[in-house]
Amino acid sequence: MQTHDIRERFTQHFVRAGHTPVPSASLILDDPTLLFVNAGMVPFKPYFLGQQTPPFESGTATSIQKCVRTLDIEEVGVTTRHNTFFQMAGNFSFGQYFKEGAITHAWTLLTNSVDDGGLGLEPERLWVTVYLDDDEAADIWENKIGVPAERIQRMGMEDNYWSMGIPGPCGPCSEIYYDRGPEYGAEGGPAADDNRYMEIWNLVFMEFERGPGDKKGNFDLVGELPQKNIDTGLGIERVACILQGVDNVYETDLLRPVIDAAEAVTGAQYGQGQEADVRFRVIADHSRTGMMLILDGVTPSNEGRGYILRRLLRRIIRSARLLGAQGATLERLMNSIMDSMTPSFPEIADNRERIVRVAVAEERAFLKTLESGTELFDRVASGAKESGTTLVDGSRAFELHDTYGFPIDLTLEMAREAGLEVDMDAFNAEMEAQRARAKADNKAKKHGHVDESIYRGWVDEHPTEFFGYTDLTGESTVIGLVAGGESVTSVQAGEQVEVILDATPMYAESGGQMGDRGRLVAGDTIVEIEDVQKVGKRVSLHKGTVVSGGLELGNKVTAEVDHAWRHGARQAHSATHLIHAALRQVLGPTAVQAGSLNRPGYLRFDFNYTDQLTEAQLAEIAAITNEAVDNDWAVNTTETSLEKARAMGAMALFGENYGDNVRVVEIGGPFSMELCGGTHVSSSAQIGPVAVLGESSVGSGARRIEAYSGLDAFRFYSKEAALVSGVASSLKAKSDEIPDRIAALTERLKAAEKEISQLRQAQLTNRTAELVGNAEQIGSFELVAVTLDGVGAKDLRSLASDIRGRMNDRKAVIVLVGKDGSKVPFVVAATHQAVSEGVKSGDLVGTFGSYVGGRGGGKPDMAQGSGSDAAGIDTGIAAVRDTLASL
């Protein structure tokens, strides 16, 4: 049975049982505690935490949620059951059915025949576990379902009790296992061998609320939940493994084609050895996860989600290289996994080109990193051999891994080829320290979870009506006041407050458009509103300060939007739509929005694209945008169903979860049509001029355009015109002659700088004989140590090489220090005879650098560095003297 069929059977089974089908959320949610969605229940978390009431009429739901877990990336492929990306199928009950219902639903789907819509698993091969004291679940399994008592095992807190790791809902679990047969391990059920007995479904019975605790099980139960909930998770990939009769998830219909593609590009064969097989599995797993992350808008970078994606893609490249691949591989691997996954995720088809482009750009960058990393490793290896050791410093290996992105496996491979070993104890100590820092940061984020339960009553019963599309002033009633994190009945002058109104003309921040500013007025009471935010996607929080009078629950107020603020915000937001459309005309349909910010007069627009835009492309984008403004197109809005909006050709953004009814904003017919809930001008001419300021990189595969709109664009152009006029006056040239005049001046300046550099170098060279003659004797060594004002690192190195050449038949050490502005560059060189007597320039650079607030490195005969504290120069040179005297 194909994986896509398993998905369909699961969904239909629960739809027939009355559950509301819920599409998978994006892997990226607005949750400060998570990098990615890592469990099927995550999108339902507000309902389980009691912050919002579930919107499902049946009180039940079912979903197949895409998930990513990356805590143990290094373990991927070592075991054959764990994946970084997986599909978690689940059914959820919010106060409806409980243990018996969840158990019955799961059993019937697993054991019903294929003809009856089930999965057709043999009942006698299924085992279950329950929590230690959960007699109720054990009784249901034995006496209601008919599972023999000997196939029901009781497990402890670690295995069969669930919580989110923070105060909130918790409860016992019941897990379902499939016996794969004696060839996979010992008899005795999951307690004896969880390789033979594969876990396929976890049923969580949420019935308690837990208190704080620092680890699993180390917490108190503070009471029962107001209603008992069900959260289950069935592993689609594991079930596919069983139903397709393969040994592991890497041999299912989704991942085996990627391994086949990897065989083709590497020349190696899967199944020929454990080490190679692990690399094939890494390629397959990471190709799928990387593709799905790119699909949901992640681009490679050096932090957060982008860092995880970069790490995954680079592990693919590294694994392919170790298997024998010589050139680029990601394009073929990505196409293979997209072929496998598209039946379940049709949106992949519209994004193939973009996904491949992002992956290939990262591959090109990493192949360059491998080249530079190889050079760095060669220096490290040479240093180890010169010092007479066969051990590569683990901290240097970690620096290669962490700073330069050079994989430790590749370092180990190259060390073996060079006859060296890596100090893995030191490397692992550095890795553990890094993990501890990450864990502490993650823990801090978890405990920083924002508690929105205080707003639940309003979210459930009193969603804010927004009438600001048509009116900027209107009468409203105060239905909520929150001050200091608590609900209050009144506030007085000077207090900061969050005001909840039954209706408002003020736009709450969403879709990149900043919240409105304005005021609430009631008699002599004035509340200045500085920001409007949404909670639960239904209630607007008007954040402001009471500047006069006082405000009480039930007060009638006049809500007034700051007209100038709204006008500028509408201009910028509509200009964003025009720039998006212009981008797609110039760059093609794969230039997809990845984020935006609109505030009065200013916009920034992030989009997925791998290459830097040319000046000509930027000029064309600006021209198309301003032509659209000049066309004075009407801006039309339509409310319709999501399905009809997509049929109309309206663009939707990845990572956004839209409701059944959406708002389409159309400018110029087919020119621009997007799903958008923001506020806009009524015609494109009202935007005014749009000044494109430029574009920049915001990470690998992501670019950003910034622009001004309306009066801000006019002011920008006016300043630019004044600047050009001033430059023209200074150069005594016409404005159109400025580029040529500046180019000529630049060439003259370069020539003058070159001449000055040559003169400076000649002066320094002329001093070589003087410096050699003034060398001081330190024990058996001669030392040339001098400070040179206004000399940079390049000239210092050249001079040091010249002096060393003149003293090559002596045991000489040269220490040259420059003063170049606020920087203190320094170079240490040593002759061959000095090196043979134990002098290491790299060590002396480290000694000197510690006195001038700097660091450096290099080879025994030449090293350099830079510092920032010139006051320590004399002390640093004295320390070098002492070191030489001790040799």
Side-chain angles (χ1 to χ4, degrees), residues 143-471:
N143 297 314
K144 299 288 179 64
I145 301 300
V147 177
E150 60 270 21
R151 294 213 310 271
I152 302 171
Q153 296 184 329
R154 296 181 184 251
M155 309 283 269
M157 176 72 69
E158 185 68 25
D159 296 294
N160 277 68
Y161 206 92
W162 177 89
S163 79
M164 284 189 289
I166 58 174
C170 66
C173 308
S174 182
E175 297 177 334
I176 305 174
Y177 290 78
Y178 181 82
D179 179 4
R180 298 198 291 166
E183 63 271 29
Y184 287 95
E187 293 185 9
D193 190 329
D194 65 355
N195 181 53
R196 169 175 172 171
Y197 300 90
M198 179 186 287
E199 178 195 343
I200 57 175
W201 207 334
N202 184 17
L203 315 177
V204 177
F205 311 131
M206 290 190 202
E207 53 184 322
F208 302 111
E209 182 178 357
R210 57 155 282 189
D214 57 6
K215 61 182 179 180
K216 190 170 184 179
N218 187 24
F219 54 79
D220 294 323
L221 297 180
V222 298
E224 293 189 359
L225 294 175
Q227 63 181 24
K228 296 179 179 181
N229 302 317
I230 288 294
D231 159 29
T232 84
L234 173 138
I236 291 288
E237 283 79 6
R238 293 189 180 187
V239 174
C241 175
I242 293 168
L243 294 180
Q244 293 173 22
V246 296
D247 283 343
N248 57 70
V249 296
Y250 295 97
E251 297 175 10
T252 62
D253 60 320
L254 295 186
L255 293 182
R256 180 64 211 213
V258 189
I259 292 178
D260 294 340
E263 287 180 328
V265 298
T266 64
Q269 293 294 310
Y270 182 67
Q272 300 299 306
Q274 173 65 11
E275 187 174 3
D277 284 356
V278 169
R279 291 170 182 162
F280 275 115
R281 293 171 194 146
V282 166
I283 289 171
D285 173 88
H286 291 3
S287 293
R288 179 171 63 170
T289 306
M291 184 274 292
M292 296 301 292
L293 290 178
I294 297 171
L295 176 67
D296 276 7
V298 182
T299 54
S301 69
N302 288 327
E303 58 184 9
R305 299 180 179 102
Y307 174 74
I308 296 295
L309 173 59
R310 168 161 287 167
R311 189 177 175 198
L312 293 172
L313 295 178
R314 291 186 171 192
R315 279 172 59 84
I316 298 170
I317 300 163
R318 178 258 298 165
S319 297
R321 183 186 178 99
L322 292 176
L323 285 170
Q326 297 299 313
T329 61
L330 279 185
E331 182 171 0
R332 184 163 184 174
L333 295 173
M334 284 292 158
N335 278 317
S336 174
I337 192 60
M338 285 190 287
D339 289 342
S340 297
M341 298 293 288
T342 297
S344 294
F345 300 93
E347 62 269 26
I348 292 173
D350 296 330
N351 291 274
R352 291 186 74 110
E353 183 181 344
R354 178 175 63 85
I355 291 168
V356 169
R357 179 187 291 165
V358 171
V360 168
E362 180 63 18
E363 182 173 41
R364 284 199 299 263
F366 185 51
L367 289 176
K368 292 179 181 178
T369 296
L370 285 177
E371 292 178 11
S372 60
T374 301
E375 293 175 5
L376 287 166
F377 174 82
D378 288 343
R379 290 204 291 269
V380 171
S382 297
K385 290 180 177 179
E386 289 174 1
S387 64
T389 181
T390 60
L391 195 65
V392 174
D393 187 345
S395 62
R396 295 302 302 276
F398 179 77
E399 182 182 4
L400 278 166
H401 162 82
D402 191 56
T403 304
Y404 298 99
F406 203 66
I408 184 61
D409 287 356
L410 204 53
T411 301
L412 290 168
E413 187 94 4
M414 294 173 65
R416 284 195 295 270
E417 292 172 358
L420 301 171
E421 296 181 354
V422 177
D423 184 352
M424 289 304 295
D425 288 340
F427 176 85
N428 290 330
E430 295 277 4
M431 286 293 291
E432 282 302 318
Q434 185 190 62
R435 287 194 185 104
R437 290 190 295 270
K439 188 175 181 180
D441 180 59
N442 186 51
K443 184 177 180 181
K445 287 180 178 178
K446 277 192 174 183
H447 287 285
H449 181 77
V450 178
D451 182 7
E452 295 183 349
S453 58
I454 190 175
Y455 306 108
R456 177 174 177 175
W458 293 294
V459 172
D460 287 349
E461 305 296 336
H462 303 287
T464 308
E465 177 191 348
F466 177 67
F467 57 85
Y469 289 131
T470 55
D471 299 301

Side-chain angles (χ1 to χ4, degrees), residues 472 507 512-514 516 562-580 596-605 625-626 628-629 632-633 635 665 667 672 676 678-691 706-715:
L472 300 186
Y507 183 78
Q513 181 176 332
M514 293 180 67
D516 276 333
D562 182 325
H563 286 230
W565 175 274
R566 172 67 75 83
H567 177 63
R570 286 192 295 201
Q571 288 179 307
H573 199 158
S574 298
T576 301
H577 283 225
L578 298 186
I579 284 181
H580 191 188
S596 67
L597 172 71
N598 312 293
R599 66 168 186 259
Y602 168 84
L603 67 93
R604 71 173 188 230
F605 184 84
T625 301
N626 281 287
V629 171
D632 193 19
W633 283 323
V635 178
V665 176
I667 307 175
S672 171
C676 180
T679 64
H680 291 272
V681 296
S682 57
S683 71
S684 61
Q686 293 177 359
I687 296 171
V690 178
E706 295 180 88
Y708 289 134
S709 60
L711 278 175
D712 288 86
F714 171 76
R715 295 186 186 104

Side-chain angles (χ1 to χ4, degrees), residues 600-799:
Y602 168 84
L603 67 93
R604 71 173 188 230
F605 184 84
D606 298 346
F607 57 100
N608 293 320
Y609 201 70
T610 52
D611 302 324
Q612 181 179 355
L613 272 61
T614 65
E615 288 295 327
Q617 287 173 322
L618 274 178
E620 187 177 1
I621 290 165
I624 292 172
T625 301
N626 281 287
E627 284 173 7
V629 171
D630 190 57
N631 285 332
D632 193 19
W633 283 323
V635 178
N636 299 311
T637 59
T638 305
E639 292 191 4
T640 185
S641 67
L642 180 59
E643 184 179 352
K644 288 182 178 179
R646 284 177 169 155
M648 291 165 57
M651 286 194 63
L653 302 182
F654 294 105
E656 291 287 336
N657 291 319
Y658 297 99
D660 293 334
N661 292 311
V662 294
R663 188 167 180 266
V664 179
V665 176
E666 170 260 309
I667 307 175
F671 180 79
S672 171
M673 188 180 298
E674 298 187 32
L675 302 186
C676 180
T679 64
H680 291 272
V681 296
S682 57
S683 71
S684 61
Q686 293 177 359
I687 296 171
V690 178
V692 176
L693 307 180
E695 67 94 40
S696 60
S697 171
V698 288
S700 178
R703 312 294 300 179
R704 169 174 293 170
I705 279 184
E706 295 180 88
Y708 289 134
S709 60
L711 278 175
D712 288 86
F714 171 76
R715 295 186 186 104
F716 170 77
Y717 284 134
S718 295
K719 285 177 62 177
E720 292 290 293
L723 178 63
V724 169
S725 178
V727 171
S729 177
S730 297
L731 295 177
K732 295 182 173 55
K734 297 178 180 179
S735 59
D736 57 356
E737 297 173 348
I738 289 177
D740 291 338
R741 293 291 296 274
I742 290 179
L745 287 172
T746 300
E747 288 301 316
R748 289 173 57 187
L749 179 60
K750 287 181 180 178
E753 287 176 341
K754 184 177 180 181
E755 185 177 352
I756 291 170
S757 177
Q758 291 170 341
L759 289 172
R760 184 189 295 116
Q761 189 61 47
Q763 290 174 339
L764 291 174
T765 302
N766 291 337
R767 291 194 61 187
T768 301
E770 173 194 345
L771 295 174
V772 171
N774 291 334
E776 57 182 307
Q777 197 73 31
I778 307 293
S780 62
F781 298 98
E782 291 183 75
L783 173 67
V784 175
V786 64
T787 302
L788 303 167
D789 288 336
V791 180
K794 183 178 179 181
D795 289 336
L796 288 178
R797 189 177 179 92
S798 176
L799 180 59

